[in-house]
Amino acid sequence: MLKARIAVLVSGGGTNLQALIDAESSGVIHSGEIVLVISNNQNAYALTRAEKAGIRAQYISKKELKSQEAFENALIDALDQNKIDLIVLAGFMSILSERFTSRYDHRIINIHPSLIPSFCGQGYYGLKVHEAALKKGVKVTGATVHFVNEIPDGGEIIAQKAVEVLDGDTPAILQRRVMEQAEWIILPQAVEMISYEIISR
Ligand code: GAR
């Protein structure tokens, strides 16, 4: 059966990438196939996870390429060469320009570790999101999968899942619970759903 060709863009540990790899192995994702992983961080453990799973892994350096435009051109080259249908941002810590996002309209999705529109937008990434949630004292947080457009964390929402905040939570403890109870579940589900839509067109 024809499958959507998926690229996963990462910057760090890659636990969400691992959840996607595992979901493909278990059949939760069956309408898409991860064929490429790109990191903007040479030391990202996500690159090792990709290699271990036999997925092509590529490092693209923004520093060496010097400008956002050159960086995005390198991304576009890699995505086009691999005939990518769906781009998944899974802990990718670099904001993409409108020139890039409009090229892949409704073909880029992102996982964000809060219930958008809370604790999102520029400056809210990784642990900072959970620090802000704890500082505000919210009792419920969660994760959101959304389409990516030119507004950071501003695209159409695809899936959300709520997670309880507990007394004594630290940002790291809360981050882990949000990953386990929300991110690693809704990201693979959303990837399957969008992949299915793409191959059914
Ligand atoms: C995840 O919690 C992801 O939601 C978040 O970074 C973490 C990456 O972890 N993404 C953002 O904050 C994007 N604004 P991972 O590398 O283990 O998947």
Side-chain angles (χ1 to χ4, degrees):
M1 203 189 82
L2 178 71
K3 292 190 182 202
R5 294 175 62 80
I6 301 168
V8 184
L9 274 52
V10 295
S11 300
T15 65
N16 278 288
L17 168 66
Q18 192 64 55
L20 294 172
I21 292 169
D22 295 347
E24 204 184 312
S25 303
S26 70
V28 169
I29 296 176
H30 53 270
S31 302
E33 183 185 2
I34 306 166
V35 295
L36 178 66
V37 170
I38 300 176
S39 174
N40 63 342
N41 168 12
Q42 194 165 19
N43 301 315
Y45 185 65
L47 286 172
T48 307
R49 292 182 192 271
E51 280 157 14
K52 280 186 180 167
I55 300 165
R56 178 175 300 175
Q58 196 174 337
Y59 160 59
I60 298 181
S61 166
K62 192 158 149 180
K63 263 186 209 149
E64 277 166 30
L65 291 166
K66 292 194 173 72
S67 71
Q68 181 70 19
E69 197 181 354
F71 173 65
E72 290 181 355
N73 285 342
L75 287 178
I76 291 167
D77 282 349
L79 296 166
D80 287 358
Q81 273 164 24
N82 289 280
K83 299 190 166 46
I84 296 303
D85 299 305
L86 175 63
I87 301 163
V88 180
L89 309 185
F92 184 64
M93 304 303 183
S94 179
I95 289 178
L96 297 162
S97 75
E98 181 169 10
R99 185 179 73 101
F100 185 91
T101 59
S102 61
R103 188 183 171 102
Y104 302 102
D105 186 34
H106 285 84
R107 298 250 178 183
I108 315 174
I109 68 174
N110 178 49
I111 177 85
H112 183 77
S114 75
L115 294 173
I116 290 175
S118 290
F119 314 117
C120 66
Q122 202 138 16
Y124 287 99
Y125 57 88
L127 267 185
K128 286 180 193 287
V129 177
H130 305 290
E131 281 164 13
L134 289 175
K135 196 168 170 200
K136 187 69 188 175
V138 293
K139 302 300 177 198
V140 174
T141 184
T144 303
V145 180
H146 62 91
F147 284 112
V148 173
N149 64 10
E150 70 285 0
I151 303 159
D153 299 324
E156 188 186 330
I157 291 172
I158 300 164
Q160 287 190 305
K161 193 166 187 291
V163 174
E164 249 189 305
V165 179
L166 301 178
D167 287 349
D169 272 354
T170 63
I173 290 171
L174 184 57
Q175 178 182 52
R176 183 76 191 180
R177 188 179 312 115
V178 169
M179 285 174 158
E180 284 176 356
Q181 296 185 6
E183 296 186 44
W184 302 340
I185 300 165
I186 63 172
L187 184 61
Q189 287 173 346
V191 166
E192 170 54 27
M193 191 177 87
I194 306 299
S195 297
Y196 182 77
E197 280 174 16
I198 288 173
I199 61 170
S200 307
R201 271 174 204 162

